Amino acid sequence: MSPRTKALFAALLLLLPIVAVGFDWSLGATLLALFALVAAAWVTTLTSLTARQSSPGYVLETISMSHFAEKVRWCLDVLGADYRESTWIGTLGAFYLGRTVPKLSFRTGAVQSTIGNSAEILRYLWGAHGSDPAAAFLAPSEERAALEKRIDRAGVSLQIWVYHHILDDRDVALRAWGADDERVPAWQRSMIKLLFPIQRFLIRKSFKINETNYQRACHYIDELLADIDTRVSDGRASILGDAEPNYTDYAFAAIMGLWLQPQHYGGEFGVRSHIDEAARPRDMQNDIARWREDYPKAVGFVETLYAHRLTREAQQA
Ligand SMILES: N[C@@H](CCC(=O)N[C@@H](CS)C(=O)NCC(=O)O)C(=O)O
């Protein structure tokens, strides 16, 4: 059963007592509705268990704008993997289903498997496709794993940075969460507008959005940018000095793409919820301008990688 269908059954189950009271249902009618719901969930589970699937058929669960999802999406594109995206509205899944994105679902034997966390997803892809020469860029090493950890930590710092700047502006925050993104189901887009004050409160609490944490986040981002800026200043193709880019290079570009917003961000699937330049708060624009000025080599490295960002279609052409 897909995560969306599971969420739908859970929501219906929660709503059932409210509907029963609201419409003054008898105990018999309520039990009947409950039985019908459980039976429908069971049939759906059985159907998905017996469904035939010819390819791994990866499903990448994302939210409208996620730099961690972009990291995995880019690697799937370079790999030429067969996948589709399931796009959720931002924050709802995290706070009501307890899951983060990216999440990758696929068929393993008779069952559906799911992995969360971008680093673990990439390790799975390496395990599953490692014998294919096209997957060589996914090969992990101690050095690559250490760099990936630093990049991922900068990804979290960027979440603090972005929320520090946009949470006070309802329209900008809603747009970043995908309220205008047509790939997101309409009911989720309506929910986020309704729940906005709660979501903002939860984000503020969970990311500890305050001046000190913002400064700490900027410091960490600066440190990584400075290091990469030095490393790539000799014009190398890969941060760690390899002849070809590997997954750490795509990860760095994807994570920094959150604020650089290069044209091909999101690849074939695009990223519709840009925080438009004009809508960006002044302080956010200042940070971006400073990073561009202080780290031109790192910025150039990301932009060059994005200029060659292969979509699945271009890969197969
Ligand atoms: N360490 C995780 C971080 C994932 C993460 O923080 N994802 C954010 C989006 S960038 C998320 O799931 N937010 C929850 C939501 O908006 O529903 C990874 O590498 O995948």
Side-chain angles (χ1 to χ4, degrees):
M1 201 192 302
S2 76
R4 261 193 205 157
T5 318
K6 269 187 205 158
L8 183 68
F9 276 123
L12 289 175
L13 207 57
L14 283 173
L15 282 175
L16 185 65
I18 301 168
V19 175
V21 170
F23 288 91
D24 210 11
W25 286 0
S26 66
L27 178 65
T30 310
L31 284 175
L32 199 67
L34 180 64
F35 177 76
L37 202 58
V38 172
W42 182 52
V43 170
T44 311
T45 304
L46 282 186
T47 313
S48 60
L49 206 65
T50 51
R52 294 180 124 255
Q53 218 161 332
S54 51
S55 67
Y58 291 123
V59 179
L60 180 64
E61 223 174 288
T62 63
I63 55 172
S64 201
M65 189 165 164
S66 159
H67 47 343
F68 286 105
E70 170 68 351
K71 168 184 162 187
V72 172
R73 180 193 288 124
W74 198 339
C75 290
L76 285 168
D77 283 338
V78 175
L79 195 58
D82 171 22
Y83 74 103
R84 69 175 174 84
E85 288 205 16
S86 167
T87 311
W88 289 66
I89 201 82
T91 76
L92 286 192
F95 293 116
Y96 301 104
L97 299 175
R99 68 100 181 84
T100 58
V101 295
K103 236 173 76 175
L104 192 72
S105 301
F106 46 91
R107 188 93 170 178
T108 41
V111 294
Q112 200 68 19
S113 297
T114 301
I115 306 182
N117 236 24
S118 57
E120 277 68 25
I121 294 173
L122 296 192
R123 292 311 86 76
Y124 168 78
L125 290 174
W126 165 247
H129 299 271
S131 58
D132 179 350
F137 75 100
L138 285 170
S141 68
E142 211 174 306
E143 204 185 13
R144 287 181 182 180
L147 175 59
E148 183 182 26
K149 233 182 212 143
R150 293 175 61 206
I151 294 168
D152 286 353
R153 195 178 149 197
V156 176
S157 296
L158 276 166
Q159 286 168 322
I160 296 167
W161 173 81
V162 86
Y163 283 132
H164 171 86
H165 285 306
I166 69 168
L167 273 188
D168 285 334
D169 190 324
R170 186 177 190 274
D171 290 343
V172 174
L174 281 176
R175 192 159 154 70
W177 286 338
D180 299 340
D181 188 339
E182 286 178 0
R183 296 168 306 165
V184 175
W187 67 271
Q188 293 183 17
R189 284 187 270 143
S190 307
M191 290 270 288
I192 197 72
K193 288 175 189 157
L194 213 68
L195 294 173
F196 180 75
I198 301 173
Q199 299 311 103
R200 177 163 62 185
F201 171 80
L202 292 171
I203 286 283
R204 277 217 172 97
K205 284 281 157 210
S206 55
F207 281 102
K208 297 192 182 72
I209 303 299
N210 56 45
E211 185 60 30
T212 316
N213 231 9
Y214 160 71
Q215 293 295 349
R216 202 175 288 150
C218 285
H219 179 72
Y220 193 82
I221 298 162
D222 270 286
E223 247 179 23
L224 182 69
L225 281 169
D227 178 29
I228 305 296
D229 198 69
T230 310
R231 284 178 194 244
V232 301
S233 60
D234 58 6
R236 61 181 66 183
S238 171
I239 297 167
L240 293 172
D242 297 336
E244 299 282 334
N246 62 62
Y247 75 89
T248 59
D249 300 299
Y250 302 127
F252 178 72
I255 296 297
M256 293 302 160
L258 184 76
W259 61 270
L260 270 168
Q261 288 292 294
Q263 200 199 339
H264 299 298
Y265 197 80
E268 178 192 344
F269 291 95
V271 170
R272 317 279 176 240
S273 50
H274 284 283
I275 303 171
D276 298 322
E277 222 166 313
R280 287 177 197 153
R282 168 74 37 208
D283 288 348
M284 189 180 204
Q285 291 189 32
N286 290 343
D287 282 345
I288 294 172
R290 186 177 63 76
W291 284 334
R292 277 189 172 279
E293 199 176 311
D294 289 354
Y295 310 112
K297 300 289 182 195
V299 168
F301 181 78
V302 171
E303 288 178 338
T304 305
L305 272 186
Y306 263 104
H308 297 101
R309 168 94 162 83
L310 290 182
T311 63
R312 186 165 35 160
E313 273 160 8
Q315 182 88 25
Q316 287 162 359

